[in-house]
Amino acid sequence: MKFKVLTLFPENLKSSLDYGVIGRAQKQNIIDIEYINPRDYSDNNYGSIDDKPYGGGPGMVIKADPLLKAIEFAKGRASETCPVVFLSPQGLLFNQKKAESYAKLKDLILVSGRYEGIDERVIELTENALEISLGSFVLSGGEIAASAMIDSITRLIPGALGHEMSALQDSFTEDLLDYPHYTRPELFRNISVPKVLVSGNHHEINRWRLKQALGRTYQRRPDLLEQRQLSDDETVLLEEYLEELSS
Ligand code: 9D3
């Protein structure tokens, strides 16, 4: 996968992507990250890429011309139908399903904004454009969002995680929150590890873990359950979880 990231602060982004899983994936050529700075496409001698918003208001807006030129440069080095993701608070919500579909692509162009926003005509003039948000909270810029998105996509590309069980485990509790984890000691400040986990009965352990995952998802993220059909077994486990709560 080749990521092309348009950013006014390539060094900020690079510093977070050159380490850990993503750093390793780059060294192994599983992914490649190219940084493109719209400032290099400024049409004036001062390299200015922003201006005051029409209609007034606070902040500055990234100008259409240098940004679109930078996008066209990126597109010239990518496949014809390559999506162009604009990271923006106005975007559709990013999720694991989107990460999985992007992980299959040959290349992906990411545009991370700053300031109050970008000239809307850039989005209108860009083919295969889509706006993506990470959630309902305010970041100072799109770089952190781009870095989070690259991370979540990269770890889904075969080989990026090494031969870990993590990816396998994920599918067991797909679309569910994780079950609670414990390690030694068995008794800590008067709280003991759930008995079933020290029973050695792996059928019962798996049943308990799935029950906890279902129960916690029901309580904390009911939105995730609404997108997911529960099997008969899972329905029984969730009912048991709720019963155990009230008893
Ligand atoms: C007061 C208007 N703000 C819009 C909510 C302005 C504004 C805030 C933050 C404009 C840009 C930004 C920078 N954020 C991103 O570029 C961004 C973002 C985010 O802030 N939250 C979640 N996902 C994303 S993706 C890109």
Side-chain angles (χ1 to χ4, degrees):
M1 158 88 84
K2 289 190 186 302
F3 293 100
K4 297 175 200 314
V5 194
L6 279 74
T7 168
L8 294 168
F9 303 95
E11 58 293 331
N12 293 1
L13 195 55
K14 198 167 181 299
S15 70
S16 76
L17 292 170
D18 280 355
Y19 299 93
V21 170
I22 311 306
R24 225 171 301 130
Q26 288 187 80
K27 287 187 198 101
Q28 297 175 232
N29 292 317
I30 292 165
I31 62 162
D32 177 78
I33 306 172
E34 181 182 4
Y35 301 91
I36 298 165
N37 193 336
R39 199 174 289 285
D40 296 338
Y41 297 83
S42 164
D43 56 1
N44 59 65
N45 298 328
Y46 311 104
S48 76
I49 39 72
D50 57 356
D51 206 339
K52 295 169 292 185
Y54 275 115
M60 296 291 268
V61 175
I62 301 181
K63 291 159 70 69
D65 186 70
L67 184 55
L68 195 58
K69 280 186 175 140
I71 290 170
E72 282 161 352
F73 172 80
K75 285 199 151 220
R77 302 157 58 77
S79 46
E80 195 77 37
T81 57
C82 176
V84 181
V85 172
F86 291 85
L87 293 151
S88 143
Q90 284 70 243
L92 299 177
L93 267 192
F94 190 58
N95 57 28
Q96 193 65 15
K97 227 172 82 191
K98 288 191 173 81
E100 279 161 14
S101 86
Y102 296 151
K104 298 187 176 88
L105 297 173
K106 240 187 97 232
D107 31 36
L108 185 59
I109 298 171
L110 301 174
V111 182
S112 73
R114 276 265 163 161
Y115 312 115
E116 276 313 289
I118 66 178
D119 191 306
E120 189 69 20
R121 291 167 293 190
V122 174
I123 302 168
E124 199 176 321
L125 288 167
T126 300
E127 275 186 84
N128 306 313
L130 59 162
E131 290 180 83
I132 298 284
S133 162
L134 289 201
S136 307
F137 50 86
V138 181
L139 297 169
S140 315
E143 281 79 19
I144 291 175
S147 141
M149 217 174 132
I150 290 171
D151 185 289
S152 69
I153 294 168
T154 299
R155 61 187 297 288
L156 295 172
I157 301 174
L161 282 188
H163 295 289
E164 291 171 37
M165 61 308 82
S166 323
L168 245 151
Q169 272 269 331
D170 281 352
S171 66
F172 159 63
T173 42
E174 217 173 345
D175 306 324
L176 293 179
L177 301 185
D178 215 350
Y179 50 78
H181 299 268
Y182 297 89
T183 187
R184 290 189 290 181
E186 199 177 321
L187 187 66
F188 178 70
R189 301 205 183 175
N190 213 30
I191 304 177
S192 51
V193 171
K195 261 202 175 64
V196 61
L197 297 181
V198 293
S199 70
N201 184 335
H202 289 283
H203 175 76
E204 281 306 311
I205 290 169
N206 286 337
R207 211 173 161 280
W208 181 86
R209 284 181 169 166
L210 180 55
K211 188 200 292 188
Q212 297 301 315
L214 287 162
R216 282 153 61 117
T217 308
Y218 176 84
Q219 290 186 302
R220 301 177 188 186
R221 293 292 307 278
D223 57 302
L224 293 180
L225 284 189
E226 276 153 30
Q227 297 161 30
R228 187 184 194 279
Q229 194 76 346
L230 290 194
S231 70
D232 291 350
D233 284 346
E234 289 170 341
T235 306
V236 169
L237 285 174
L238 181 54
E239 277 164 6
E240 279 183 29
Y241 180 93
L242 295 171
E243 225 157 87
E244 285 164 23
L245 270 187
S246 55
S247 67

